[in-house]
Amino acid sequence: MAHLEVLIPRERIAQRVAELGAEISRDFAGHAVLLVGVLKGAAIFLCDLARTIDPALDVRMDFIGVSSYGTAKTSSGEVQLTKDLSEPLAGVHVILVEDILDTGVTLHFLKQLLLARQPASLKLAALLQKPDRRKVAIQADYVGFTFPDEFAVGYGLDHAERYRNLPDICIVRE
Ligand code: IMP
Ligand code: MG
């Protein structure tokens, strides 16, 4: 039987997300900002983050879908767009919101794709990052937590589509 070990409890997630929201509120004061969530893993993070940003800011939300992992724990190295944005990006301040920065392949692919649409600016936010696994040189502007080289589930992150609904970030012990 698989057993779940809590690595980052919900209270710490909420506190860190609020800090990121405050940082974004300062950085984008007086501007409109579009949060672009990467489906499906970043959906929960994006919704919580959006609600910690100063309500005086004009905050919009959109989602983009990619697939790269299938049901395995290691990246196929190939990223496919499965769902595009619903609005154009030209002249818009965009924050691309991802669940986890691992090899960097997914964020690198999305960054190039979105930059080609000529946003006013593009920042990257990742709830988690695994520092030692990068295959592509890429850094996030807003990072929640640095995570050990273990497979994370919960708070949006899945293993074979399971565990996204867990309120804490956990690792699966077999
Ligand atoms: P990258 O392209 O290797 O940076 O991987 C990014 C994507 O891989 C994320 O959007 C996740 O969907 C998935 N991923 C990487 N590590 C984990 C993990 O520990 N738990 C769940 N998903 C992960
Ligand atoms: Mg993902």
Side-chain angles (χ1 to χ4, degrees), residues 97-115:
V97 181
E98 177 59 309
D99 53 1
I100 183 164
L101 176 54
D102 185 21
T103 64
V105 171
T106 307
L107 269 184
H108 180 261
F109 169 86
L110 286 171
K111 191 179 170 187
Q112 300 316 311
L113 185 83
L114 300 190
L115 279 177

Side-chain angles (χ1 to χ4, degrees), residues 38-42 66 68-69 98-100 106 156-158 164:
V38 184
L39 293 172
K40 304 168 203 167
V66 289
S68 62
Y69 261 61
E98 177 59 309
D99 53 1
I100 183 164
T106 307
L157 292 129
D158 73 308
R164 292 192 196 277

Side-chain angles (χ1 to χ4, degrees), residues 25-36:
S25 303
R26 284 193 298 275
D27 293 352
F28 289 88
H31 292 285
V33 60
L34 175 69
L35 304 177
V36 170

Side-chain angles (χ1 to χ4, degrees), residues 51-71:
R51 287 178 289 181
T52 65
I53 297 173
D54 183 349
L57 258 71
D58 177 355
V59 176
R60 295 161 195 235
M61 295 164 40
D62 204 346
F63 291 92
I64 196 162
V66 289
S67 70
S68 62
Y69 261 61
T71 56

